[in-house]
């Protein structure tokens, strides 16, 4: 079975307090030099059958209507070999 | 015959009984609706109550938005049926694109529970006609994902068209843009807000006031006069 990964990230202009909280904790833990952190979601889809153009189009539609809320989030779809 | 107000129960809905009770106290006939039924049981209006439908997995309201009952509600809302979304219900309405924008995790990342002052900004929607513009009300607020966001163009449009229905007063509890607590669609039949009017309909509970009852008397008046 092929794996397709959908990465979902808040749009750059949307405040990400979770990422900020992580970023603020870093110096406390001794990790210096990280100017910014943004937190996203990764979906790993195990796809039955061939991942052809039609299958990818369906996954794109799934990401656009359900996995991501395109009002606030961007997403990318990629096939893992 | 009195107006029938439906309240949907999704798995994880918490405030359906309070919403049904508020509808009854206002004089309506409360009707329970189940998320897996497409049938709206001939109700005249629908309330999407607060809670954590489907555990807020993925995003608050994202999974509920695709339940069978929502198919019927989206169709009817577009045809003019009044729909009120409270808290999780507001999140569902934005996910369903019946209202613009989106709801995100509170800017301070904490769950918040407080009595919240609001200013009524639009007293012409189906759910707010018993209030007056500029009126200050106090109702409970409790949420994790209450930060209203939309792009600048949408926010400007909402302001210009008077579609910001409620604004937070004194404290912005979650970082909502422009202190927005609730909005309406262009037609005024769909209203969403984060605070909970259904918890402030009797002196004994909630804030100890009945500031929230106006939502339910508004809709009743509209339906009975219709």
């Amino acid at each position: 079975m092929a794996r397709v990964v959908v990465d979902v990230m808040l749009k750059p202009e949307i405040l990400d307090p979770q990422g900020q909280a992580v970023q603020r904790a870093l110096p406390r833990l001794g990790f210096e030099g990280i100017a910014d952190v943004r937190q996203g979601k990764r979906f790993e889809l195990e796809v039955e059958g061939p991942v052809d153009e039609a299958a990818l189009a369906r996954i794109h539609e799934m990401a656009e209507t359900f996995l991501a809320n395109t009002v606030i989030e961007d997403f990318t779809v990629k096939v893992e070999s | 015959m009195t107006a029938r107000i439906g309240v949907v129960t999704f798995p994880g809905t918490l405030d359906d009984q309070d919403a049904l009770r508020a509808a009854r106290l206002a004089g309506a006939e409360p009707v329970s609706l189940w998320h897996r039924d497409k049938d709206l049981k001939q109700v005249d209006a629908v309330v999407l109550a607060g809670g954590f439908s489907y555990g807020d997995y993925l995003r608050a309201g994202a999974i509920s938005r695709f339940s069978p009952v929502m198919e019927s509600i989206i169709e009817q809302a577009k045809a003019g049926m009044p729909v009120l979304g409270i808290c999780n219900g507001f999140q569902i309405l934005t996910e369903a694109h019946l209202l613009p924008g989106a709801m995100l995790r509170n800017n301070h990342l904490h769950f918040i529970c407080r009595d919240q002052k609001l200013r009524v900004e639009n007293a012409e929607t189906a759910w707010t006609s018993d209030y007056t513009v500029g009126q200050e009300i106090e109702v409970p607020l409790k949420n994790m994902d209450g930060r209203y966001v939309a792009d600048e163009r949408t926010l400007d449009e909402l302001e210009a068209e008077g579609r910001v229905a409620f604004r937070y007063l004194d404290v912005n509890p979650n970082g909502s843009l422009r202190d927005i607590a609730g909005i309406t669609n262009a037609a005024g039949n769909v209203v969403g807000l984060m605070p909970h009017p259904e918890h402030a309909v009797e002196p004994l509970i909630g804030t100890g006031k009945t500031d929230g009852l106006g939502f339910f008397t508004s809709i009743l008046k509209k339906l009975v006069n219709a």
Side-chain angles (χ1 to χ4, degrees):
Chain A
M1 272 195 294
R3 171 176 293 179
V4 177
V5 175
V6 180
D7 278 309
V8 176
M9 289 297 295
L10 278 178
K11 289 183 176 178
E13 67 271 22
I14 304 277
L15 173 73
D16 175 14
Q18 287 171 303
Q20 285 182 342
V22 172
Q23 194 257 334
R24 280 197 301 272
L26 292 176
R28 245 184 2 250
L29 303 172
F31 299 104
E32 306 288 345
I34 305 298
D36 190 27
V37 176
R38 293 183 71 78
Q39 180 178 316
K41 287 178 207 156
R42 174 185 164 104
F43 299 88
E44 297 186 350
L45 314 172
E46 302 294 335
V47 181
E48 291 169 349
V51 181
D52 51 17
E53 224 165 88
L56 272 177
R58 287 290 291 161
I59 290 168
H60 196 275
E61 187 193 348
M62 181 206 304
E64 192 166 30
T65 53
F66 185 49
L67 298 182
N69 178 345
T70 55
V71 174
I72 46 169
E73 293 167 327
D74 296 322
F75 67 90
T76 58
V77 177
K78 62 174 188 281
V79 184
E80 274 201 351
S81 49
Chain B
M1 213 169 74
T2 184
R4 290 162 62 84
I5 299 183
V7 178
V8 179
T9 302
F10 297 92
T13 298
L14 299 174
D15 300 327
D16 41 349
Q17 295 306 313
D18 281 36
L20 288 163
R21 185 177 173 79
R24 180 163 60 73
L25 286 172
E29 183 186 344
V31 179
S32 288
L33 300 175
W34 182 236
H35 70 114
R36 284 173 71 176
D37 293 339
K38 272 192 181 177
D39 182 11
L40 297 185
K41 299 184 182 170
Q42 292 170 315
V43 295
D44 303 295
V46 165
V47 178
L48 299 174
F52 295 88
S53 60
Y54 289 89
D56 276 356
Y57 297 148
L58 187 59
R59 295 177 306 277
I63 296 176
S64 334
R65 173 251 178 280
F66 291 99
S67 65
V69 77
M70 283 306 295
E71 274 180 51
S72 308
I73 289 173
I74 290 168
E75 190 186 307
Q76 291 299 311
K78 285 178 176 167
M81 181 182 71
V83 179
L84 175 66
I86 303 167
C87 198
N88 195 231
F90 186 13
Q91 293 157 346
I92 294 170
L93 289 177
T94 60
E95 284 286 339
H97 305 301
L98 285 173
L99 292 173
M103 309 300 306
L104 280 163
R105 186 65 46 91
N106 296 342
N107 59 344
H108 44 71
L109 301 178
H110 298 287
F111 183 90
I112 191 159
C113 181
R114 67 191 310 273
D115 291 343
Q116 178 70 47
K117 273 198 186 138
L118 305 173
R119 188 173 55 234
V120 179
E121 304 276 26
N122 182 333
E124 286 170 20
T125 79
W127 300 91
T128 59
S129 61
D130 258 359
Y131 296 106
T132 51
V133 173
Q135 187 178 346
E136 296 181 11
I137 62 172
E138 193 175 21
V139 299
L141 171 102
K142 52 187 175 92
N143 65 67
M144 187 76 199
D145 296 88
R147 175 166 51 114
Y148 180 77
V149 301
D151 59 31
E152 285 296 311
R153 196 178 52 83
T154 305
L155 291 169
D156 289 342
E157 204 174 285
L158 288 174
E159 303 269 12
E161 294 172 7
R163 289 168 54 194
V164 174
F166 297 91
R167 239 184 273 267
Y168 296 118
L169 272 185
D170 300 341
V171 178
N172 181 331
N174 43 37
S176 287
L177 296 179
R178 303 195 192 180
D179 298 333
I180 289 173
I183 56 174
T184 177
N185 66 347
N189 63 311
V190 180
V191 172
L193 79 165
M194 280 318 288
H196 289 265
E198 82 284 16
H199 293 331
V201 294
E202 286 170 294
L204 190 63
I205 57 162
T207 55
K209 302 176 189 169
T210 57
D211 290 5
L213 197 59
F215 282 80
F216 301 91
T217 54
S218 294
I219 190 63
L220 197 66
K221 210 174 278 180
K222 178 185 167 60
L223 294 172
V224 170
N225 292 340

